[in-house]
Every structure is written in structure tokens, then in C-alpha cells.
Amino acid sequence: MQVVICLTSFNRTDCARISMEIVKLNWAHKWPVVHACADPGYTRYIEDVLVRREPRPLTRGALDLLVASMQGAVDAFQADYVIHLEADTWVFDQNVLLRYIERLEQDPAALIAASSWSTDRLPEWRRSPELRRRLRARLATVLRPLGVRYGIRERKSISTQFFIAKCTPELLRTVSSLEVEDDAFLEKVLYRAVVERFGRRAVIDMPEREPVHPRYRNSCDALSLVCHHWPSAAEAPSMQDHPQLEATDCLRGKKECLERAKLHTHGPHMTRLLTSPDLSYYNGNAARGVGSALSHG
């Protein structure tokens, strides 16, 4: 089977280059990379195919890059499976992907493996000064051991940030036909389109990351996944200022996560992140911090 990495980037191009170094220099199975990029200043690196796109607003731009990368994977490599990674979303362990590809391969009805883009309201309710919300938190702690996921929202969604898909002509047509407005929730739009066309069995959940927000928004060790925006722990926000963050989020930036991964080969962009005393260069003028890190898409 032909597996292709579909990498998409707008202006987080240092993240994109390191993602390529993870994939191309460290994974045992050599999969080609199709990189759809909307940064006019980006220069080609080690991707197998570079698809240049015009910059667009956030949600429409994300969809445009996703479609372009998937179409590029089919056109250049006749992809059977695609793994979509937004530029700042790194997966260190290829075995995570192989496990889910095997599950997709074994289930004829399954088309996409992904987490949702869900939000757990419980941490927010517990901290709220409003009594009714604190009571909801107590109710959630009673109901959840019984299997009722009270207070977990947006479960009917697909994380477009990272998913694995069978690249069938029907699925590609479904994704290509999506239309979104700038304020749309792309993760919900994609879920609705897939389920309406193929049924709920088309989606294999990734329970390791559920619910995504806030605990696993920035990293998920079980998936070897890192997906936040601050280059080092020195730039990470504090729990005092942003109590929705987990302690590990506040202690580890991209640099620390890369060190912790202990990859056998470091490319030049990894080396620069690990050794440079000044990380102001990283991702140029791309937004950093909690506001961007906790946004969807």
C-alpha cells in the first residue's frame, strides 16, 4: 500500500521543516511527503512534492491546503492512505500511525481515524465563581463513572489537525466538495459530511486524546503527538495566568519535546532549535501563545 504524508502550512514553516526531518530522517518506513504551503516566502526543503497555494483566511485556507495536499498525494503517488499533519503538529512514533492504518485496513467501512475536537467543560466549571457551574461539575463527576460524558462538547467532530484516511475517490470528492465560511468550525463540517455520506462507522476514534481540550490540546504522549506553538519552555504560558493548561504544557516547549523524543537523526532545523540561544526567529511572524494555541483549526 502507498502511504503519503500530507503536510500543510501557512506561516509556521520552521515547524514544517522539523516535521519533515522527523518523517524523512527518523521513520523506518519511508513515506513521501506532499507539502501544501501558502507562505509566499517559503523555499523548498526535503518534501517530495511542494504544492504552492495562495494565502486565504484561516478556515477557508485550512480547507484549501488540506484538499490540495490530498489531491497532490493522489496525483503524484496514487496514495492509498494519507496522513494529514498541520505544520506545527509533530508525531514522533511511526508505530502509532501503523497501528491505526492496520485498523483502517481491517475494517472495510472505516475511512478516517482521528480524535474529535472536543472540549471538556469540567475544569472550567470547577473554577467558576458561579454556584450553578460548580454544581454541574459535581454532577459530571457523578455521571461520568456511569458512562455519561456530561459536559464534554463538540464530540461530533474530526480533528483536521491530524488524521489518517483511506484516500478513496469517494472520500476525496467528499472533502473537495466542502464549502466553509471564515467563521465555520471545519472539524464539525468534515465530520458531518463524512457521516452523512458514509455513516458513523467510517470514523475510527482515537480515544487516547479524548477529550482534546484542555488536557490534550497541546500534547498527547500516548500518540507521541506535540502540537502547540511556543518554541521553548521559556516562552510557554504559566498556569497562574492560564489555569486551563496542564503542568506539562507549561514546562515543555517544542525544544524540550524534541529533546525528550531522543530521535536518532537531527536535521539542521532540529539542531538550530535545540542549540540556538535566541529563538525569536522561530516561525517568523506567526502568532504564538495561548490564544493561538487554543484556537481550533
Side-chain angles (χ1 to χ4, degrees), residues 145-157:
L146 303 177
V148 180
R149 291 181 283 184
Y150 180 71
I152 298 177
R153 307 291 174 83
E154 313 298 355
R155 288 184 289 119
K156 294 182 177 181
S157 57

Side-chain angles (χ1 to χ4, degrees), residues 86-139:
E86 291 184 352
D88 56 7
T89 304
W90 300 345
V91 175
F92 293 112
D93 186 357
Q94 192 179 31
N95 290 320
V96 169
L97 309 174
L98 291 169
R99 287 198 301 270
Y100 275 102
I101 289 173
E102 183 178 2
R103 289 187 60 187
L104 287 164
E105 186 75 5
Q106 292 174 348
D107 187 346
L111 287 175
I112 291 183
S115 71
S116 69
W117 201 238
S118 52
T119 298
D120 187 354
R121 301 294 301 278
L122 181 56
E124 173 192 344
W125 288 344
R126 281 175 171 162
R127 297 189 305 270
S128 176
E130 298 181 26
L131 176 61
R132 62 185 180 86
R133 293 194 172 188
R134 296 198 302 274
L135 291 174
R136 287 179 182 176
R138 295 183 64 180
L139 180 59

Side-chain angles (χ1 to χ4, degrees), residues 251-269:
L251 293 174
R252 285 186 280 158
K254 282 286 180 71
K255 174 180 177 178
E256 289 76 20
C257 291
L258 188 57
E259 290 172 334
R260 189 169 176 256
K262 299 186 183 302
L263 300 174
H264 60 74
T265 303
H266 285 172
H269 294 278

Side-chain angles (χ1 to χ4, degrees), residues 21-278:
E21 292 178 348
I22 294 168
V23 171
K24 303 284 282 185
L25 305 182
N26 289 277
W27 288 358
H29 296 273
K30 301 306 179 184
W31 295 336
V33 174
V34 173
H35 179 199
C37 180
D39 184 342
Y42 175 77
T43 56
R44 183 168 182 156
Y45 187 41
I46 57 174
E47 58 269 84
D48 296 275
V49 174
L50 174 61
V51 182
R52 295 193 180 275
R53 305 296 296 174
E54 292 295 321
R56 299 187 182 189
L58 178 64
T59 306
R60 285 188 291 154
L63 177 58
D64 178 69
L65 291 168
L66 173 59
V67 172
S69 66
M70 292 179 68
Q71 188 63 60
V74 172
D75 292 344
F77 300 105
Q78 295 74 55
D80 299 303
Y81 286 87
V82 296
I83 297 167
H84 179 245
L85 293 169
E86 291 184 352
D88 56 7
T89 304
W90 300 345
V91 175
F92 293 112
D93 186 357
Q94 192 179 31
N95 290 320
V96 169
L97 309 174
L98 291 169
R99 287 198 301 270
Y100 275 102
I101 289 173
E102 183 178 2
R103 289 187 60 187
L104 287 164
E105 186 75 5
Q106 292 174 348
D107 187 346
L111 287 175
I112 291 183
S115 71
S116 69
W117 201 238
S118 52
T119 298
D120 187 354
R121 301 294 301 278
L122 181 56
E124 173 192 344
W125 288 344
R126 281 175 171 162
R127 297 189 305 270
S128 176
E130 298 181 26
L131 176 61
R132 62 185 180 86
R133 293 194 172 188
R134 296 198 302 274
L135 291 174
R136 287 179 182 176
R138 295 183 64 180
L139 180 59
T141 59
V142 172
L143 292 177
R144 290 187 184 181
L146 303 177
V148 180
R149 291 181 283 184
Y150 180 71
I152 298 177
R153 307 291 174 83
E154 313 298 355
R155 288 184 289 119
K156 294 182 177 181
S157 57
I158 289 172
S159 172
T160 55
Q161 176 195 67
F162 162 50
F163 66 79
I164 306 166
K166 292 177 183 174
C167 201
T168 66
E170 294 81 6
L171 179 63
L172 184 56
R173 281 196 293 270
T174 299
V175 177
S176 300
S177 66
L178 295 179
E179 296 182 1
V180 294
E181 299 298 328
D182 292 342
D183 59 350
F185 197 148
L186 179 57
E187 292 83 357
K188 292 174 69 173
V189 172
L190 178 59
Y191 177 92
R192 185 165 55 249
V194 169
V195 171
E196 287 179 357
R197 174 66 178 83
F198 304 104
R200 181 60 181 83
R201 286 188 60 192
V203 182
I204 291 179
D205 298 322
M206 291 182 175
E208 300 96 329
R209 203 183 176 197
E210 299 288 353
V212 173
H213 298 84
R215 185 174 182 185
Y216 299 119
R217 167 58 184 89
N218 303 304
S219 64
C220 177
D221 287 347
L223 295 176
S224 73
L225 182 146
V226 177
C227 47
H228 56 66
H229 299 161
W230 41 89
S232 72
E235 293 196 32
S238 70
M239 291 185 69
Q240 181 178 358
D241 295 333
H242 301 282
Q244 77 271 28
L245 297 174
E246 294 290 304
T248 52
D249 294 327
C250 299
L251 293 174
R252 285 186 280 158
K254 282 286 180 71
K255 174 180 177 178
E256 289 76 20
C257 291
L258 188 57
E259 290 172 334
R260 189 169 176 256
K262 299 186 183 302
L263 300 174
H264 60 74
T265 303
H266 285 172
H269 294 278
M270 291 182 184
T271 300
R272 186 181 184 190
L273 176 61
L274 291 172
T275 62
S276 177
D278 181 3

